[in-house]
Amino acid sequence: MESDGQPIGQRADAKIRLREVFRRYQVCSYYRDNAVVTLRRGTTSSADEFVSTAPLRVEFNHRRLNVDAYAVRIRVDVQDRAEVIAWFDEPETGNFDSQTLRTAWNANTKDRLQLDQVLADEVLRSRLSAGLAGPPPQLEWLLADEPMSGLFRLRSDTNDQFTWLDDGRINQQRLQRIEVVSDRDRFVFWIEPATSLIRRVEFPPPQTLPPTNMVADDWSLQLDLNEATFQPQGSGTMESLPGFPPIFVGAFVPVPPPPPSPLLGRCFDLSRWNRSSSESPYHLIANSPEDAATFQQWFANITAAIPALNGTATMHLVAHERESVRQFERLPSPPVLVWEADEMNTALRKLRLPPGSMAVLSQDGQLLLVETRADAGSVGNVFAVIRDHVSGIDVPQKIRSDYESILQSYQAKLQSVRP
């Protein structure tokens, strides 16, 4: 963004200035924002525009820390001891089976909270790390001994580059901008000069998103720290407890996957959509995702499985957009057959396969497996099921039995972490 007039303030070394900014966060007695992270592809004038947003809100003082990040909710209250309550606002998993983390440790209100204590739970850290921009960087600015040290270094000599950029504007307010380049990653911090508040951070896009067919650099990842302030503003608006009856636990237990499809073992008529001239004994139906954010990774996982088919199965790829049809048609046929969603609508409805899922059927039409995701693990399950079926195993029954064992193990672990 172009500057208008002279740069704001006297330009000290960019690295020193960014160190001063983080220092301001580390000594503040209050901080609050209404931050939102945005992943974007294309522009508002582009037919290929895609936008995904998530909250990354933080409120902090010496006695309280509130975090709303993605589906994660964290509340830390410091009195005689520090107590963490955390839960997941996630209806699709029953709010993580209503599990609500409650832990505590000895603390002094004069001491600053330690980030590793707040995020001590493994599942909590993992879920934050899996978000669009990872854990809220505000937590590092406020609580870490060396903020952002996992991405670049401020306290030691490194090859990281710190550069002043032209001033920018947000809502007509002129802001300083500092670029940090570490290895191949680039970050840009938009800073309010008078208060040292960070108003925006530009992050490198997630590595799971490969280049698209539009233009270079068409993905962007940006954190907008709306309403950021160091000035106390009442008691805040974040709820202090979950909006569901909590099941308190001392550690989160990963919830089981969804139950197997009730259709497993049922036979379906394949004749109306079997255009394959091969005699493959198995059919893999992969229904592509409809959203651009997950399509590329899904496509990479699916196509990686093609060499392993090796005449064992025909892969039926269902496309929802013309662009995905073009990508699919570049694959070898056989073993790949490409279908538009309308052509397979009846089969998808009968098999209950939503976008992003896949199924394995035997040559006589028996449904052997349904996977709701196509990641490395679920693609591996496809070949495990085929091997079992070839060996004469009753695959649907085995899947149901294995799931019952998973449920029993989950219930036992859950009981062990209950207070």
Side-chain angles (χ1 to χ4, degrees):
M1 185 176 295
E2 297 294 328
S3 65
D4 44 2
Q6 294 298 314
I8 307 173
Q10 184 175 355
R11 287 299 197 251
D13 180 84
K15 183 176 182 180
I16 293 175
R17 172 58 176 147
L18 194 56
R19 189 185 301 157
E20 291 173 347
V21 169
F22 291 154
R23 179 60 180 165
R24 177 67 180 91
Y25 280 78
Q26 291 176 319
V27 301
C28 74
S29 58
Y30 180 88
Y31 172 80
R32 183 182 178 189
D33 64 39
N34 189 23
V36 175
V37 62
T38 303
L39 175 68
R40 183 186 301 274
R41 186 188 75 176
T43 64
T44 54
S45 60
S46 169
D48 289 313
E49 184 198 19
F50 168 81
V51 177
S52 179
T53 64
L56 231 61
R57 303 166 55 199
V58 171
E59 183 177 23
F60 166 82
N61 62 42
H62 282 290
R63 290 183 174 272
R64 188 108 179 127
L65 173 67
N66 296 328
V67 179
D68 284 2
Y70 318 113
V72 178
R73 305 290 180 263
I74 303 173
R75 305 292 181 259
V76 185
D77 186 59
V78 182
Q79 299 296 332
D80 297 331
R81 298 201 306 164
E83 181 181 69
V84 171
I85 293 180
W87 67 93
F88 299 101
D89 185 6
E90 195 174 65
E92 62 270 25
T93 63
N95 301 306
F96 214 70
D97 264 7
S98 299
Q99 292 183 49
T100 303
L101 180 71
R102 183 162 61 185
T103 61
W105 65 89
N106 292 328
N108 190 322
T109 55
K110 295 180 180 179
D111 297 330
R112 212 165 186 83
L113 286 168
Q114 296 296 308
L115 186 57
D116 58 350
Q117 290 179 312
V118 174
L119 301 182
D121 185 84
E122 182 178 350
V123 172
L124 192 63
R125 289 197 314 274
S126 175
R127 295 297 296 274
L128 284 175
S129 298
L132 288 176
Q138 306 98 299
L139 295 181
E140 289 217 11
W141 307 340
L142 292 163
L143 304 179
D145 292 334
E146 186 175 355
M148 313 300 284
S149 61
L151 302 173
F152 55 82
R153 294 281 182 171
L154 281 167
R155 294 186 181 177
S156 56
D157 293 331
T158 65
N159 293 326
D160 300 338
Q161 299 175 15
F162 300 80
T163 307
W164 286 105
L165 301 181
D166 289 341
D167 296 337
R169 284 186 179 272
I170 298 177
N171 297 330
Q172 306 305 312
Q173 181 181 18
R174 286 182 66 189
L175 302 171
Q176 298 173 330
R177 295 197 305 155
I178 293 177
E179 176 190 67
V180 182
V181 177
S182 177
D183 294 327
R184 297 182 180 180
D185 291 334
R186 175 181 181 269
F187 309 83
V188 178
F189 293 84
W190 299 54
I191 303 163
E192 189 174 283
T195 63
S196 292
L197 279 164
I198 299 172
R199 294 293 186 179
R200 174 178 293 169
V201 185
E202 299 171 25
F203 291 96
Q207 295 181 355
T208 54
L209 298 174
T212 67
N213 296 325
M214 300 192 317
V215 296
D217 305 324
D218 51 357
W219 288 98
S220 65
L221 183 63
Q222 178 174 294
L223 175 64
D224 285 294
L225 296 133
N226 305 318
E227 304 171 28
T229 180
F230 290 129
Q231 300 301 317
Q233 296 183 343
S235 59
T237 60
M238 299 187 188
E239 69 276 16
S240 58
L241 289 171
F244 53 84
I247 297 176
F248 286 109
V249 294
F252 281 122
V253 178
V255 297
S261 169
L263 302 179
L264 288 184
R266 188 175 301 182
C267 288
F268 295 85
D269 181 8
L270 309 183
S271 60
R272 296 185 62 182
W273 52 272
N274 187 3
R275 334 188 271 247
S276 174
S277 59
S278 70
E279 295 299 325
S280 300
Y282 297 95
H283 298 271
L284 170 59
I285 303 175
N287 188 12
S288 65
E290 295 178 315
D291 61 290
T294 57
F295 175 83
Q296 294 292 349
Q297 188 60 50
W298 176 92
F299 184 63
N301 290 328
I302 287 293
T303 53
I306 292 175
L309 296 176
N310 195 27
T312 303
T314 298
M315 179 181 289
H316 303 264
L317 292 183
V318 182
H320 293 272
E321 295 181 353
R322 291 304 307 169
E323 176 58 33
S324 54
V325 171
R326 287 190 287 271
Q327 285 188 258
F328 293 165
E329 287 178 341
R330 300 189 189 107
L331 300 173
S333 176
V336 176
L337 295 178
V338 179
W339 300 80
E340 294 193 33
D342 289 345
E343 297 179 278
M344 288 283 280
N345 184 53
T346 300
L348 295 176
R349 188 171 63 252
K350 286 183 177 180
L351 294 170
R352 303 179 192 174
L353 292 185
S357 63
M358 60 184 181
V360 178
L361 294 96
S362 64
Q363 192 175 45
D364 61 4
Q366 185 185 33
L367 182 62
L368 302 177
L369 177 70
V370 173
E371 290 281 359
T372 56
R373 294 191 306 273
D375 54 25
S378 57
V379 170
N381 290 340
V382 168
F383 297 102
V385 158
I386 290 175
R387 287 193 300 271
D388 284 349
H389 193 259
V390 169
S391 300
I393 294 173
D394 185 342
V395 170
Q397 180 57 38
K398 181 177 184 294
I399 290 175
R400 295 189 186 98
S401 177
D402 289 347
Y403 188 73
E404 286 300 320
S405 296
I406 290 172
L407 283 183
Q408 292 175 11
S409 176
Y410 168 68
Q411 292 296 339
K413 290 179 181 178
L414 191 60
Q415 192 61 35
S416 72
V417 297
R418 296 286 301 274

